[in-house]
Every structure is written in structure tokens, then in C-alpha cells.
Amino acid sequence: MPDTDADTAKDAGDAAAPAGRTKLVSGPGVLLVWLYGVITVGAVSRSAYQISTEFDRAPLPYALSAVAALVYAFITYSLVRGGETARKAARLCCAAELTGVLTVGTWTLVRPDSFPDATVWSQFGMGYLFIPVILPVTGMLWLRAKR
């Protein structure tokens, strides 16, 4: 049984961050997690609706939106989970996300006929205020600083 309030607070903090895991979400990291959470909800909602109602119209863009949603969800989870393994996985996913945004963004500008409907990553995320191209860079910088 803890003798002081400080011991109780320390024990509660230990329960929140299991041994071997450093907390990635603190300070500006909270904003990063919040933005990833919002973009996850937006991408999941958009792709679920498009796939369930209009998939035959533009399967490639809708499938890419679903992939983006999964990547965003995994990064959000990794940031919240914390620990070295989660940090490395999140950095890898941020790099994959940036590659996807740059590839799809360029593809939609060069061959717009390939995308009858926009994806989360179309035109470098213009429909999402360019957050999809800014977020992975910010995420990789944050994760690098937190190592």
C-alpha cells in the first residue's frame, strides 16, 4: 500500500506507460495524434461510403482512400501506444504515407483521367487542406526528435 500521494501518482503513471515503452504523445505530439485521428475518421468515412455506394465507378481511387485510412489508423495507434517498436513502425508508415501522397498526387496531376473521383491523396491532399502531405513530414520529424 502506498504511503504518500506521490507514490500513488507514480503508481498510476506506471500503469499508463508499461515498462519498456516511452510515451510518444506529449506536448506537440498531442496535436499530431489529434490530427492523425481526425484524418483517420475523414478517410475511413469517405472510403467506406464510396466503396459501399459507388465502387464500380472508380475502384482505384476508392481503394487508395481505404489504404490511406488504414495507414492513418495504424500511425495513430502507434503514436498512442508508444515504445521503440511502435515509434519505428510509425516512422516507416509515415514514410510510406509520404510516398503514397507524392505518387498519387503527381499521378492525379499528370493523368487526371485515371482518377474520375478524388482520393485522400489526390493533388497532394488538396481536398484535405494539404494535411496529407504535411502530416507525414511532421510525423517523421516528431518521431525522430522523440528517439
Side-chain angles (χ1 to χ4, degrees):
M1 184 164 136
D3 295 330
T4 66
D5 290 337
D7 289 339
T8 304
K10 180 180 179 264
D11 291 343
D14 290 345
R21 269 197 246 159
T22 56
K23 191 173 178 185
L24 294 175
V25 183
S26 61
V30 174
L31 177 61
L32 186 65
V33 168
W34 185 84
L35 285 171
Y36 265 111
V38 168
I39 200 86
T40 298
V41 170
V44 167
S45 302
R46 180 182 191 152
S47 65
Y49 174 78
Q50 290 174 326
I51 288 172
S52 65
T53 61
E54 308 169 324
F55 187 73
D56 56 330
R57 190 176 97 146
L60 179 61
Y62 299 157
L64 287 172
S65 286
V67 168
L70 291 174
V71 170
Y72 293 138
F74 183 79
I75 292 170
T76 305
Y77 169 76
S78 295
L79 289 171
V80 170
R81 182 166 173 23
E84 187 60 21
T85 303
R87 187 188 65 77
K88 287 179 181 177
R91 279 188 72 195
L92 182 66
C93 282
C94 284
E97 174 193 354
L98 182 60
T99 301
V101 172
L102 295 176
T103 302
V104 172
T106 303
W107 191 357
T108 57
L109 294 176
V110 173
R111 298 281 318 259
D113 55 315
S114 298
F115 290 84
D117 256 353
T119 73
V120 175
W121 294 341
S122 292
Q123 298 172 336
F124 308 105
M126 188 169 74
Y128 287 81
L129 304 173
F130 297 103
I131 292 171
V133 78
I134 296 167
L135 211 49
V137 173
T138 307
M140 286 188 292
L141 291 172
W142 174 254
L143 289 164
R144 184 175 183 193
K146 292 299 283 186
R147 73 174 166 195

